[in-house]
Amino acid sequence: MHVVHTVAELREKVMAWKGQGLSMALIPTMGNLHAGHLRLVETGLRRADRTVVSIFVNPIQFGPGEDFARYPRTLEADGRQLARMGTDLIFAPSESDMYPHGREATTKVAVPDLSDILCGVARPGHFRGVATVVVKLLNLVQPDIAVFGEKDFQQLVIIRRVVEDLNMAVDIIGIPTVREPDGLALSSRNRYLSPGERAVAPALYRTLKAVAERVQAGGPDPATYEAEAMEALRRVGFDPEYVAIRRADDLTRPASLEPPLVVLAAARLGQARLIDNLCIR
Ligand code: PAF
Protein backbone atom coordinates (compact mmCIF):
# COMPACT_ATOMS: atom_id res chain seq x y z
CA MET A 1 0.00 0.00 0.00
CA HIS A 2 1.24 3.47 -0.88
CA VAL A 3 0.70 6.42 1.45
CA VAL A 4 1.11 9.80 -0.27
CA HIS A 5 0.76 13.26 1.23
CA THR A 6 1.02 15.57 -1.76
CA VAL A 7 -1.06 16.26 -4.85
CA ALA A 8 2.01 15.71 -7.05
CA GLU A 9 2.66 12.20 -5.66
CA LEU A 10 -1.02 11.31 -5.97
CA ARG A 11 -1.20 12.45 -9.57
CA GLU A 12 1.91 10.48 -10.50
CA LYS A 13 0.45 7.28 -9.05
CA VAL A 14 -3.07 7.59 -10.52
CA MET A 15 -1.73 8.63 -13.93
CA ALA A 16 0.41 5.48 -14.01
CA TRP A 17 -2.64 3.32 -13.20
CA LYS A 18 -4.74 5.10 -15.80
CA GLY A 19 -1.96 4.54 -18.34
CA GLN A 20 -2.20 0.81 -17.63
CA GLY A 21 -5.95 0.92 -18.27
CA LEU A 22 -6.84 0.07 -14.64
CA SER A 23 -10.19 1.13 -13.16
CA MET A 24 -10.18 3.15 -9.94
CA ALA A 25 -12.42 3.63 -6.90
CA LEU A 26 -12.19 6.61 -4.56
CA ILE A 27 -13.43 6.52 -0.98
CA PRO A 28 -13.24 10.03 0.50
CA THR A 29 -13.03 10.00 4.33
CA MET A 30 -11.96 12.16 7.22
CA GLY A 31 -10.24 9.16 8.81
CA ASN A 32 -10.89 7.63 12.24
CA LEU A 33 -12.18 4.68 10.30
CA HIS A 34 -14.88 2.37 11.66
CA ALA A 35 -16.77 -0.58 10.20
CA GLY A 36 -19.01 1.80 8.22
CA HIS A 37 -16.01 3.21 6.34
CA LEU A 38 -14.56 -0.27 5.85
CA ARG A 39 -17.78 -1.31 4.12
CA LEU A 40 -17.20 1.51 1.62
CA VAL A 41 -13.61 0.37 1.08
CA GLU A 42 -14.76 -3.23 0.53
CA THR A 43 -17.06 -1.99 -2.22
CA GLY A 44 -14.19 -0.13 -3.86
CA LEU A 45 -11.94 -3.17 -3.68
CA ARG A 46 -14.63 -5.39 -5.17
CA ARG A 47 -15.60 -3.07 -7.99
CA ALA A 48 -12.36 -1.50 -9.20
CA ASP A 49 -8.79 -2.58 -10.01
CA ARG A 50 -7.27 0.07 -7.70
CA THR A 51 -8.78 1.65 -4.56
CA VAL A 52 -7.75 5.05 -3.25
CA VAL A 53 -8.85 6.18 0.23
CA SER A 54 -8.45 9.86 1.03
CA ILE A 55 -8.05 10.88 4.66
CA PHE A 56 -8.42 14.60 5.20
CA VAL A 57 -10.19 16.44 8.00
CA ASN A 58 -11.52 19.16 5.75
CA PRO A 59 -11.45 22.48 7.62
CA ILE A 60 -13.84 24.29 5.28
CA GLN A 61 -16.77 22.03 6.11
CA PHE A 62 -16.63 22.88 9.83
CA GLY A 63 -18.33 25.99 11.17
CA PRO A 64 -17.05 28.23 13.96
CA GLY A 65 -17.40 26.44 17.31
CA GLU A 66 -17.70 23.00 15.67
CA ASP A 67 -15.38 20.09 16.40
CA PHE A 68 -12.65 20.63 13.76
CA ALA A 69 -9.85 20.94 16.36
CA ARG A 70 -10.87 17.88 18.37
CA TYR A 71 -12.01 15.70 15.46
CA PRO A 72 -10.11 12.40 16.00
CA ARG A 73 -7.01 12.06 13.80
CA THR A 74 -5.82 8.44 13.77
CA LEU A 75 -3.81 8.09 10.56
CA GLU A 76 -1.54 5.26 11.77
CA ALA A 77 -4.37 3.04 12.99
CA ASP A 78 -6.40 3.85 9.85
CA GLY A 79 -3.40 2.94 7.69
CA ARG A 80 -3.03 -0.44 9.41
CA GLN A 81 -6.70 -1.31 8.82
CA LEU A 82 -6.58 -0.21 5.19
CA ALA A 83 -3.34 -2.10 4.51
CA ARG A 84 -4.84 -5.29 5.95
CA MET A 85 -7.81 -4.94 3.59
CA GLY A 86 -5.62 -4.53 0.51
CA THR A 87 -6.19 -0.83 -0.17
CA ASP A 88 -3.83 0.37 -2.89
CA LEU A 89 -3.26 3.97 -1.87
CA ILE A 90 -3.98 6.40 0.94
CA PHE A 91 -3.99 10.09 0.08
CA ALA A 92 -3.52 12.10 3.29
CA PRO A 93 -2.77 15.65 2.18
CA SER A 94 -1.91 18.67 4.29
CA GLU A 95 -4.24 21.66 4.40
CA SER A 96 -1.77 23.75 2.40
CA ASP A 97 -1.66 21.13 -0.33
CA MET A 98 -5.45 21.09 -0.62
CA TYR A 99 -5.95 24.84 -0.20
CA PRO A 100 -2.76 26.55 -1.42
CA HIS A 101 -4.51 29.95 -1.54
CA GLY A 102 -5.95 29.50 1.95
CA ARG A 103 -9.32 28.37 3.29
CA GLU A 104 -11.10 31.63 2.67
CA ALA A 105 -9.73 32.47 -0.78
CA THR A 106 -10.11 29.03 -2.32
CA THR A 107 -12.70 28.53 -5.09
CA LYS A 108 -15.87 27.00 -3.65
CA VAL A 109 -18.57 24.75 -5.10
CA ALA A 110 -22.05 25.86 -4.02
CA VAL A 111 -25.21 23.80 -4.44
CA PRO A 112 -28.11 26.19 -3.84
CA ASP A 113 -31.28 25.12 -2.04
CA LEU A 114 -30.21 21.54 -1.26
CA SER A 115 -27.41 22.90 0.94
CA ASP A 116 -29.63 25.26 2.88
CA ILE A 117 -32.24 22.80 4.18
CA LEU A 118 -32.16 20.13 6.93
CA CYS A 119 -28.55 19.99 8.26
CA GLY A 120 -27.71 23.11 6.23
CA VAL A 121 -29.91 25.21 8.54
CA ALA A 122 -27.77 24.59 11.63
CA ARG A 123 -24.53 24.25 9.63
CA PRO A 124 -24.42 27.11 7.10
CA GLY A 125 -21.53 26.63 4.67
CA HIS A 126 -21.05 22.98 5.64
CA PHE A 127 -22.19 21.47 2.35
CA ARG A 128 -20.28 24.07 0.33
CA GLY A 129 -17.16 22.82 2.11
CA VAL A 130 -18.08 19.19 1.45
CA ALA A 131 -18.92 19.77 -2.23
CA THR A 132 -15.67 21.71 -2.72
CA VAL A 133 -13.40 19.06 -1.25
CA VAL A 134 -15.23 16.21 -2.99
CA VAL A 135 -14.94 17.92 -6.40
CA LYS A 136 -11.23 18.48 -5.77
CA LEU A 137 -10.71 14.83 -4.79
CA LEU A 138 -12.67 13.60 -7.81
CA ASN A 139 -10.64 15.84 -10.10
CA LEU A 140 -7.38 14.68 -8.59
CA VAL A 141 -8.07 10.94 -8.70
CA GLN A 142 -10.48 10.83 -11.67
CA PRO A 143 -11.95 7.55 -10.43
CA ASP A 144 -14.51 5.43 -12.23
CA ILE A 145 -16.55 5.15 -9.03
CA ALA A 146 -16.64 7.02 -5.73
CA VAL A 147 -18.25 5.43 -2.68
CA PHE A 148 -20.13 7.25 0.11
CA GLY A 149 -22.24 6.16 3.07
CA GLU A 150 -26.00 6.65 3.12
CA LYS A 151 -25.62 7.68 6.76
CA ASP A 152 -24.86 11.20 5.46
CA PHE A 153 -27.90 11.09 3.22
CA GLN A 154 -28.13 14.80 2.44
CA GLN A 155 -24.41 14.82 1.61
CA LEU A 156 -24.94 11.92 -0.81
CA VAL A 157 -27.85 13.66 -2.56
CA ILE A 158 -25.76 16.85 -2.86
CA ILE A 159 -22.76 14.99 -4.28
CA ARG A 160 -24.95 13.29 -6.87
CA ARG A 161 -26.31 16.71 -7.83
CA VAL A 162 -22.81 18.22 -8.13
CA VAL A 163 -21.64 15.36 -10.33
CA GLU A 164 -24.71 15.72 -12.54
CA ASP A 165 -24.56 19.53 -12.75
CA LEU A 166 -20.81 19.63 -13.46
CA ASN A 167 -20.98 16.70 -15.93
CA MET A 168 -18.38 14.71 -14.05
CA ALA A 169 -17.73 11.23 -15.42
CA VAL A 170 -17.91 9.23 -12.20
CA ASP A 171 -20.42 6.78 -10.78
CA ILE A 172 -21.48 7.74 -7.24
CA ILE A 173 -22.28 4.66 -5.16
CA GLY A 174 -24.26 4.93 -1.91
CA ILE A 175 -23.81 2.22 0.72
CA PRO A 176 -26.36 1.47 3.49
CA THR A 177 -25.55 2.60 7.03
CA VAL A 178 -23.72 0.18 9.31
CA ARG A 179 -25.26 0.03 12.80
CA GLU A 180 -24.41 -1.18 16.28
CA PRO A 181 -26.53 -4.18 17.41
CA ASP A 182 -28.85 -1.74 19.25
CA GLY A 183 -29.43 0.29 16.07
CA LEU A 184 -27.13 3.27 16.65
CA ALA A 185 -25.53 4.29 13.34
CA LEU A 186 -21.72 4.04 13.43
CA SER A 187 -20.09 7.48 13.49
CA SER A 188 -16.77 8.91 14.58
CA ARG A 189 -18.78 11.37 16.65
CA ASN A 190 -20.33 8.63 18.82
CA ARG A 191 -17.17 8.91 20.92
CA TYR A 192 -18.45 12.25 22.23
CA LEU A 193 -21.31 10.41 24.04
CA SER A 194 -21.04 9.73 27.77
CA PRO A 195 -22.04 6.18 28.86
CA GLY A 196 -25.48 7.48 29.89
CA GLU A 197 -25.98 9.25 26.55
CA ARG A 198 -24.76 6.18 24.67
CA ALA A 199 -27.57 4.20 26.31
CA VAL A 200 -30.13 6.78 25.12
CA ALA A 201 -28.70 7.27 21.60
CA PRO A 202 -30.39 4.26 19.87
CA ALA A 203 -33.72 6.03 20.48
CA LEU A 204 -32.91 8.17 17.44
CA TYR A 205 -33.10 5.19 15.08
CA ARG A 206 -36.12 3.74 16.94
CA THR A 207 -37.92 7.06 16.42
CA LEU A 208 -37.12 7.03 12.68
CA LYS A 209 -38.43 3.47 12.45
CA ALA A 210 -41.65 4.48 14.21
CA VAL A 211 -42.14 7.37 11.76
CA ALA A 212 -41.46 5.09 8.78
CA GLU A 213 -43.99 2.55 10.07
CA ARG A 214 -46.64 5.26 10.43
CA VAL A 215 -45.92 6.57 6.92
CA GLN A 216 -46.30 3.06 5.54
CA ALA A 217 -49.54 2.51 7.47
CA GLY A 218 -50.98 5.80 6.13
CA GLY A 219 -52.88 8.28 8.26
CA PRO A 220 -52.59 11.98 9.11
CA ASP A 221 -50.18 14.37 7.41
CA PRO A 222 -46.37 14.09 7.58
CA ALA A 223 -46.09 17.26 9.67
CA THR A 224 -47.91 15.46 12.51
CA TYR A 225 -45.48 12.52 12.41
CA GLU A 226 -42.53 14.91 12.34
CA ALA A 227 -43.79 16.95 15.31
CA GLU A 228 -44.60 13.83 17.35
CA ALA A 229 -41.18 12.36 16.62
CA MET A 230 -39.49 15.60 17.77
CA GLU A 231 -41.49 15.40 20.99
CA ALA A 232 -40.58 11.72 21.50
CA LEU A 233 -36.88 12.62 21.14
CA ARG A 234 -37.18 15.50 23.62
CA ARG A 235 -38.83 13.18 26.16
CA VAL A 236 -35.79 10.86 26.24
CA GLY A 237 -33.26 13.71 26.50
CA PHE A 238 -32.39 14.75 22.92
CA ASP A 239 -32.40 18.32 21.71
CA PRO A 240 -33.70 17.64 18.17
CA GLU A 241 -32.95 19.99 15.24
CA TYR A 242 -35.35 18.36 12.82
CA VAL A 243 -37.20 15.21 11.90
CA ALA A 244 -38.27 15.38 8.26
CA ILE A 245 -40.01 13.13 5.76
CA ARG A 246 -38.69 13.92 2.28
CA ARG A 247 -38.52 12.52 -1.22
CA ALA A 248 -35.42 10.32 -1.34
CA ASP A 249 -34.15 11.59 -4.70
CA ASP A 250 -34.17 15.36 -4.15
CA LEU A 251 -35.13 15.93 -0.49
CA THR A 252 -38.19 17.99 -1.41
CA ARG A 253 -41.35 17.72 0.68
CA PRO A 254 -43.47 14.90 -0.75
CA ALA A 255 -46.81 15.83 -2.28
CA SER A 256 -48.03 12.34 -1.34
CA LEU A 257 -46.54 9.63 0.86
CA GLU A 258 -45.55 7.51 -2.15
CA PRO A 259 -42.07 5.91 -1.88
CA PRO A 260 -39.20 6.35 -2.38
CA LEU A 261 -39.11 8.53 0.72
CA VAL A 262 -36.55 9.10 3.44
CA VAL A 263 -37.06 10.04 7.07
CA LEU A 264 -34.13 12.14 8.28
CA ALA A 265 -33.23 13.50 11.70
CA ALA A 266 -30.53 15.48 13.45
CA ALA A 267 -30.48 15.80 17.21
CA ARG A 268 -28.04 16.88 19.87
CA LEU A 269 -27.31 14.62 22.81
CA GLY A 270 -24.83 16.16 25.25
CA GLN A 271 -21.71 17.12 23.28
CA ALA A 272 -22.67 15.02 20.25
CA ARG A 273 -24.75 16.01 17.25
CA LEU A 274 -26.18 12.81 15.82
CA ILE A 275 -27.74 12.38 12.38
CA ASP A 276 -29.53 9.38 10.99
CA ASN A 277 -32.05 8.47 8.32
CA LEU A 278 -34.20 5.62 7.10
CA CYS A 279 -35.27 5.07 3.51
CA ILE A 280 -38.80 3.92 2.69
CA ARG A 281 -38.45 2.24 -0.67
O1 PAF B 1 -18.41 12.14 4.94
C1 PAF B 1 -17.27 12.58 5.20
O2 PAF B 1 -16.48 11.95 5.91
C2 PAF B 1 -16.86 13.91 4.62
O3 PAF B 1 -17.91 14.81 4.60
C3 PAF B 1 -16.19 13.80 3.23
C4 PAF B 1 -17.16 13.25 2.19
C5 PAF B 1 -14.99 12.88 3.32
C6 PAF B 1 -15.72 15.17 2.76
O4 PAF B 1 -14.79 15.71 3.64
Side-chain angles (χ1 to χ4, degrees), residues 28-30 58 61 130 133-134 148 152 155:
T29 80
M30 298 204 300
N58 174 34
Q61 70 185 73
V130 170
V133 80
V134 169
F148 296 86
D152 297 291
Q155 167 174 287

Side-chain angles (χ1 to χ4, degrees), residues 166-184:
L166 300 183
N167 305 101
M168 302 176 81
V170 58
D171 225 354
I172 301 297
I173 316 274
I175 299 294
T177 303
V178 178
R179 299 181 180 279
E180 300 281 6
D182 60 10
L184 179 66

Side-chain angles (χ1 to χ4, degrees), residues 106-274:
T106 195
T107 302
K108 307 269 179 7
V109 178
V111 185
D113 302 335
L114 268 179
S115 297
D116 304 325
I117 57 172
L118 304 171
C119 285
V121 174
R123 306 191 70 190
H126 167 67
F127 290 113
R128 193 178 50 216
V130 170
T132 301
V133 80
V134 169
V135 166
K136 283 175 71 73
L137 291 166
L138 291 173
N139 282 340
L140 286 167
V141 177
Q142 296 182 26
D144 299 271
I145 63 169
V147 192
F148 296 86
E150 284 184 355
K151 154 94 176 13
D152 297 291
F153 199 86
Q154 186 175 4
Q155 167 174 287
L156 181 59
V157 172
I158 288 174
I159 290 166
R160 288 192 198 284
R161 177 70 61 84
V162 169
V163 162
E164 186 187 342
D165 282 352
L166 300 183
N167 305 101
M168 302 176 81
V170 58
D171 225 354
I172 301 297
I173 316 274
I175 299 294
T177 303
V178 178
R179 299 181 180 279
E180 300 281 6
D182 60 10
L184 179 66
L186 297 194
S187 164
S188 303
R189 289 185 166 111
N190 290 348
R191 65 170 52 210
Y192 302 151
L193 296 167
S194 69
E197 290 157 357
R198 174 63 189 81
V200 168
L204 184 61
Y205 183 52
R206 281 202 299 274
T207 304
L208 293 177
K209 282 209 291 202
V211 174
E213 277 163 20
R214 294 188 70 192
V215 168
Q216 280 164 323
D221 65 310
T224 310
Y225 304 146
E226 293 169 356
E228 288 178 3
M230 296 274 282
E231 196 40 49
L233 288 173
R234 275 190 206 101
R235 272 200 303 276
V236 294
F238 281 93
D239 178 10
E241 279 174 17
Y242 65 83
V243 176
I245 303 164
R246 297 296 173 98
R247 283 166 46 101
D249 53 351
D250 61 6
L251 301 180
T252 54
R253 286 181 204 280
S256 75
L257 290 183
E258 283 300 303
L261 300 170
V262 58
V263 191
L264 309 105
R268 292 185 183 276
L269 189 58
Q271 297 289 302
R273 180 179 180 278
L274 303 181

